[in-house]
Amino acid sequence: MDLSRMLAVQLIKTRFVRHAVRENADLDIFRQKPTPRVIAGLVLIGASYVLCWPVISALGGFAAYVRQPLWVVVGAPVVWTMTHFLCMFGAYLAGKEHSRAFLKWAVRLFVEKHAPDCLPD
């Protein structure tokens, strides 16, 4: 038995996955018009990705220019932490419904592909 099948069989034993398979979880929630709160959350998540590494790279360039490596040694973790919190706040604003729907759909597809004979009725 390969690793993906063993994982699928173990996942099927959980209530979350059995429920996802029984209700034939799909991505219908993404067809609804997003609320302003969800849009703001997604914008913050995107901004955290767009800002993090360019700012750290610029900080590294600045540190090399002024010949003070402490700027990047201290600044990079601070910038990374700030963008991480920005991403987490965006995820909080976007809400758990979209994440839960996507996870149910992905898990259902995984177990249906790798262990179709073990699915619940």
Side-chain angles (χ1 to χ4, degrees), residues 16-35:
F16 179 81
V17 175
R18 286 193 314 267
H19 189 256
V21 171
R22 282 190 191 117
E23 72 179 18
N24 197 21
D26 56 9
L27 299 175
D28 281 341
I29 193 168
F30 290 98
R31 292 192 179 121
Q32 300 170 359
K33 185 177 180 181
T35 64

Side-chain angles (χ1 to χ4, degrees), residues 35-99:
T35 64
R37 180 179 168 137
V38 170
I39 292 172
L42 295 176
V43 166
L44 287 177
I45 292 169
S48 73
Y49 283 102
V50 170
L51 291 175
C52 185
W53 291 111
V55 171
I56 290 174
S57 299
L59 192 61
F62 176 73
Y65 177 74
V66 297
R67 299 179 193 265
Q68 293 291 325
L70 198 57
W71 276 96
V72 77
V73 169
V74 174
V78 170
V79 169
W80 186 87
T81 302
M82 288 175 16
T83 58
H84 176 74
F85 284 127
L86 187 67
C87 182
M88 292 299 103
F89 184 62
Y92 169 75
L93 286 179
K96 66 180 180 180
E97 294 85 16
H98 291 79
S99 298

